[in-house]
Amino acid sequence: MAMIEIRDIHKTYGTFDVFKGLTIDVEEHQVVCLIGPSGCGKSTLLRTMNGLEKIQQGEIRIHGDRMTGPGVDLNALRRDVGIVFQSYNLFPHMTVLQNVTLAPIRVLGQSHDEAEDTAMRLLTRIGLAHKAKEYPDRLSGGQQQRVAIVRALAMGPRVMLLDEITAALDPELVSEVLNIVRDLATEGMTMLLATHEMGFAREVASKICFLCDGKVHEEGPPEQILGDPLEERTRSFLQRIIEAGRL
Ligand code: ADP
Ligand code: MG
């Protein structure tokens, strides 16, 4: 059983079919990168896996538990699935520590002490313990995004979903965020991430999935997908990425 099973999902927005039978497996400890043109559904897929979007057909399971369809346990889902977005979405009126401890206290029922211990341990690991009492607007974009990752990790998720988490950052702040993701990969966190950082995908991905026209158009190990793709549409997408200087 794969840790993440996305099985033949279909979804429409009005008359637009965003997924037309999309299937992906992510094994435990694997890092799978989603690539594809803007609008191909990368964000929608990750949002669907976190219960933020509905699908019309197919199913998604995480560790065997159904994440879609009627009767889904939203609390279990939020515990098991950590998600980080391009825009960090920290609560501006809460300190870093409050941002990180909120869900463990509210959703997991942890005591304040327990939640703060975990939060401080995680913040120490990413070198931001000294910012615990600061408000997000006093942090750089890279620091805010690192806090957003820690906020997701504080729930003890089984999987992490990352949606172009470096896309809004100044170039010099990208590496501090990617370093955390690299560490998580090394520690064996199962991750599904949408990214435009092809060099990073080549380095950390167990598998790259090229999304196009509502499906996984081509998938395989990074050296094959980025180096010698079989499909014409994968090739032309990568050609555009190369022309933009991103590969
Ligand atoms: P990506 O992240 O790959 O750029 P998205 O998942 O954001 O793509 O979007 C996939 C497609 O679905 C796009 O064509 C987008 O316009 C459409 N879409 C996304 N969200 C909505 C929505 N709430 N209503 C209608 N169309 C949407
Ligand atoms: Mg997107």
Side-chain angles (χ1 to χ4, degrees):
M1 177 183 76
M3 177 61 100
I4 301 175
E5 301 167 284
I6 300 168
R7 282 279 170 279
D8 193 31
I9 64 168
H10 293 249
K11 178 178 179 64
T12 51
Y13 282 123
T15 57
F16 174 68
D17 297 321
V18 54
F19 301 134
K20 306 185 210 173
L22 184 145
T23 295
I24 297 176
D25 274 336
V26 183
E27 303 295 331
E28 190 170 15
H29 309 310
Q30 267 193 344
V31 178
V32 172
C33 289
L34 304 172
I35 64 169
S38 180
C40 71
K42 302 179 293 293
S43 298
T44 304
L45 179 60
L46 298 177
R47 289 169 54 79
T48 300
M49 297 176 63
N50 197 44
L52 296 169
E53 297 275 351
K54 302 241 176 307
I55 53 175
Q56 278 91 36
Q57 257 188 70
E59 66 173 19
I60 299 176
R61 288 179 184 269
I62 293 181
H63 198 252
D65 296 331
R66 207 160 40 75
M67 294 288 150
T68 50
V72 172
D73 179 350
L74 277 179
N75 276 346
L77 188 154
R78 289 187 187 133
R79 190 180 59 231
D80 285 350
V81 182
I83 187 162
V84 183
F85 302 97
Q86 177 176 326
S87 51
Y88 339 116
N89 296 339
L90 296 176
F91 300 112
H93 59 289
M94 293 184 182
T95 64
V96 163
L97 190 61
Q98 288 168 336
N99 265 280
V100 177
T101 56
L102 181 71
I105 293 169
R106 291 258 182 94
V107 179
L108 302 184
Q110 291 182 3
S111 69
H112 278 77
D113 283 353
E114 185 184 5
E116 289 189 2
D117 280 354
T118 306
M120 290 310 296
R121 184 171 47 76
L122 290 167
L123 288 169
T124 301
R125 254 182 44 190
I126 61 160
L128 288 179
H130 62 295
K131 300 288 189 190
K133 298 283 165 59
E134 294 279 14
Y135 286 87
D137 66 357
R138 301 287 300 273
L139 275 58
S140 73
Q143 290 173 333
Q144 289 186 52
Q145 192 59 298
R146 285 149 68 198
V147 171
I149 294 171
V150 157
R151 181 174 60 174
L153 290 174
M155 295 292 281
R158 289 185 192 276
V159 306
M160 287 281 279
L161 311 177
L162 311 178
D163 190 3
E164 299 197 16
I165 59 168
T166 58
L169 296 177
D170 291 334
E172 76 271 22
L173 302 178
V174 168
S175 67
E176 67 187 54
V177 171
L178 291 185
N179 283 341
I180 295 181
V181 180
R182 192 177 283 120
D183 288 348
L184 288 174
T186 306
E187 290 160 18
M189 176 61 79
T190 308
M191 289 187 278
L192 183 55
L193 50 109
T195 187
H196 282 132
E197 304 282 347
M198 297 297 162
F200 183 70
R202 184 191 295 270
E203 179 197 330
V204 301
S206 327
K207 176 167 82 176
I208 293 182
C209 296
F210 174 65
L211 265 58
C212 179
D213 200 20
K215 293 183 178 177
V216 174
H217 193 66
E218 183 170 1
E219 65 175 81
E223 53 278 14
Q224 191 239 309
I225 298 297
L226 300 178
D228 189 21
L230 300 173
E231 299 290 336
E232 178 50 39
R233 288 166 99 169
T234 319
R235 284 181 184 276
S236 62
F237 170 74
L238 290 171
Q239 191 56 43
R240 291 198 300 276
I241 297 280
I242 289 166
E243 281 160 11
R246 305 288 289 266
L247 185 67

